[in-house]
Amino acid sequence: MTRIDLPRTDVGPCESFGERWTKLAAERSALCLGVAPSSSWLARWDLTDDVRGAAAYCDRILRAATGVAAVKVQVPFFARFGPEGLDLLARFTERCHEHGSLVVMDAKVGDADDTMHAYADLYLGPGSRLGGDAVTANAYMGLRSIHPLAVRAGQVGAAVLVLVRTSNHAAEEVQQASSTDDRTVAQRLADDVAAWNHAQAPDASWGPFGAVVGARLPESADLVARLPRCVVEVPGLGRPDRATAEVLAAVPDGRGDALLTITSGVLRHGPDVGALRTALEAWRERIRP
């Protein structure tokens, strides 16, 4: 196990994100719906490219996705509308919680540690501006820089999902680069995330750090295996360049903490609410063990 010298985090009395997620996934399936009110998706759904169009988009998502365990929100597609867009995102999150769904804020935050308290106030847990249950984070400034965000996550039962390996082609030259011990950058980051969770909560099933692994096989399976006791988001379901079997092969049978995200594979069936609901149910059945 990699040794890591991050400070100890006090874990709050509430259920961890991992505990909440695994219960919901067992009940509703591990499917997570991507939510992306971009200009292109609003146009495809014949909606105006403004906050009113985004609100109509969110309403249809909410009516179709009442039974999903989680949604993953692309924050910039809301933030581009300014304060009204952030208000819409806060309302959308609240309504998802009313349906019992967890909300992952895909913000990819990455900054110096003295700013992370502000990001926590914006994204994580009850009392934050947006009320998310998890947020994605970029560790390019070092894992220690994310520590204040993880402190809040541990206190409120949320999670920080570290971008261990992303699926965009431009990331390969950085994330697959070899470090001094011949591990790739992604492998070393996965090992450090796992070590940090173990150090912070040695007696718990999950720590406040999770991971995003968007690699192809065999790299995806290797990285997921390096992340025990971590909620791991594995995107790629429904993409034309990814077979379902390849995405699922990264997650061993019986591993109940994986979060499987699908976006275009469902959204392309919109804007009809019934068609969206049917597509979600079909994918839930498709990924059941």
Side-chain angles (χ1 to χ4, degrees):
M1 180 73 71
T2 300
R3 294 186 63 184
I4 193 162
D5 63 349
L6 288 173
R8 183 69 180 262
T9 296
D10 293 328
V11 177
C14 49
E15 281 189 311
S16 69
F17 180 86
E19 289 171 320
R20 294 191 290 151
W21 167 249
T22 52
K23 289 178 183 178
L24 273 172
E27 177 186 341
R28 300 185 179 188
S29 91
L31 197 69
C32 173
L33 177 62
V35 177
S38 64
S39 297
S40 58
W41 278 115
L42 294 180
R44 286 184 63 172
W45 285 20
D46 198 25
L47 297 169
T48 55
D49 189 20
D50 53 25
V51 73
R52 291 182 61 188
Y57 168 99
C58 288
D59 182 69
R60 294 178 189 185
I61 291 287
L62 285 161
R63 285 189 285 146
T66 55
V68 298
V71 297
K72 182 181 179 183
V73 177
Q74 290 284 350
V75 174
F77 292 139
F78 288 85
R80 68 194 180 103
F81 298 123
E84 289 184 324
L86 293 178
D87 287 343
L88 173 61
L89 177 51
R91 293 195 303 272
F92 178 77
T93 300
E94 184 177 359
R95 292 181 65 188
C96 287
H97 287 158
E98 290 172 357
H99 295 161
S101 302
L102 299 177
V103 179
V104 177
M105 299 284 175
D106 193 6
K108 302 178 179 69
V109 296
D111 214 326
D113 55 1
D114 60 349
T115 68
M116 282 298 171
H117 299 285
Y119 284 117
D121 290 339
L122 175 62
Y123 289 113
L124 283 181
S128 68
R129 174 71 172 83
L130 297 175
D133 300 288
V135 64
T136 58
N138 183 340
Y140 187 78
M141 289 192 180
L143 200 59
R144 177 178 285 274
S145 69
I146 303 174
H147 180 256
L149 196 61
V151 169
R152 175 70 62 84
Q155 292 169 343
V156 301
V160 180
L161 303 183
V162 180
L163 302 174
V164 166
R165 180 70 165 90
T166 58
S167 59
N168 58 306
H169 298 303
E172 292 182 2
E173 60 183 301
V174 174
Q175 296 171 11
Q176 287 188 315
S178 295
S179 59
T180 54
D181 58 5
D182 292 329
R183 289 179 295 172
T184 66
V185 170
Q187 287 173 329
R188 181 166 182 171
L189 187 54
D191 291 343
D192 285 350
V193 167
W196 189 88
N197 269 349
H198 178 76
Q200 299 307 304
D203 299 321
S205 298
W206 295 272
F209 267 160
V212 179
V213 175
R216 306 291 299 261
L217 286 175
E219 185 185 7
S220 58
D222 170 71
L223 292 172
V224 171
R226 291 171 181 267
L227 292 157
R229 303 183 356 169
C230 299
V231 174
V232 180
E233 188 219 344
V234 180
L237 284 177
R239 285 176 47 170
D241 62 337
R242 299 281 178 103
T244 301
E246 179 186 1
V247 176
L248 298 180
V251 184
D253 290 342
R255 178 158 179 166
D257 53 5
L259 190 154
L260 303 172
T261 302
I262 185 167
T263 303
S264 60
V266 169
L267 297 185
R268 65 183 177 85
H269 295 279
D272 182 76
V273 172
L276 290 168
R277 190 179 293 123
T278 298
L280 278 167
E281 183 56 35
W283 276 104
R284 279 198 291 262
E285 290 300 319
R286 195 169 179 180
I287 68 171
R288 288 189 193 278

